[in-house]
Amino acid sequence: MGRVKNLHRVFESFKIIPLSLIHNAVKYRKCNDIEVVFDERDTKLEFSVVSYGDLISEDEIKSLFKRGYRTKKAASMKVEGSGLGLYALKVVAEAHEFQVTVRSEVLDTTRKNIARNIFTVSIY
C-alpha cells in the first residue's frame, strides 16, 4: 500500500531490509495477512511490514537486532532460523543512517495470543 515518488537515494544493499522484514513476517505469522506499507511525507519515507503473530515483549524488542538472537517463542517454534536476518538488516540500516523501530500490540486482550507486530524503517 502507498505510493513513493522515488526521491530517496538508496544503495544496492537496501534490498536486504525489506527482504529480511518480509521473510520474518512470513515465517512467524499466525495468520496469512501481511501488510507492506509505504508512507511518504515531505523528505521522509517510512516503510513498514505488519504481521500478526506472537507478542514481542519490550525486553525482546531491545534484543531483536543482536547477532544470533531469537525470541523465546521463535526459538520454540518449528521454524528454522539463526538470528542473523534482523542483525543484517540493522547493519545495513545503520550504514544508510536509517532508523528501525518495532511495535508489538496485543489484539486479543482475553487470550493474549495474537499481536500486531509492526517493523518500520524510516528513511530521511
Side-chain angles (χ1 to χ4, degrees), residues 4-115:
V4 178
K5 294 178 185 173
N6 205 20
L7 302 174
H8 306 277
R9 187 167 175 244
V10 295
F11 300 99
E12 186 67 21
S13 59
F14 172 77
K15 64 185 171 188
I16 290 170
I17 293 172
L19 291 176
S20 293
L21 292 178
I22 293 168
H23 184 254
N24 272 15
V26 169
K27 277 187 0 182
Y28 298 113
R29 73 189 190 282
K30 284 194 167 184
C31 66
N32 290 330
D33 295 337
I34 295 172
E35 300 171 43
V36 178
V37 180
F38 292 91
D39 185 17
E40 188 172 43
R41 288 184 223 136
D42 299 321
T43 60
K44 182 179 179 182
L45 170 65
E46 288 188 345
F47 165 75
S48 298
V49 174
V50 182
S51 63
Y52 301 87
D54 290 311
L55 180 69
I56 307 168
S57 73
E58 285 298 318
D59 287 339
E60 290 176 317
I61 288 173
K62 292 175 187 174
S63 299
L64 275 179
F65 299 98
K66 291 180 182 175
R67 183 184 182 110
Y69 182 81
R70 296 181 76 199
T71 66
K72 291 176 187 173
K73 288 280 188 175
S76 70
M77 295 172 71
K78 294 179 181 174
V79 175
E80 287 187 35
S82 60
L84 294 178
L86 292 180
Y87 169 74
L89 175 150
K90 187 68 169 179
V91 168
V92 171
E94 287 176 352
H96 290 278
E97 298 180 353
F98 300 157
Q99 181 183 3
V100 181
T101 57
V102 180
R103 286 191 348 245
S104 188
E105 308 163 341
V106 173
L107 291 181
D108 183 347
T109 56
T110 58
R111 293 183 305 204
K112 296 184 181 177
N113 64 346
I114 298 284

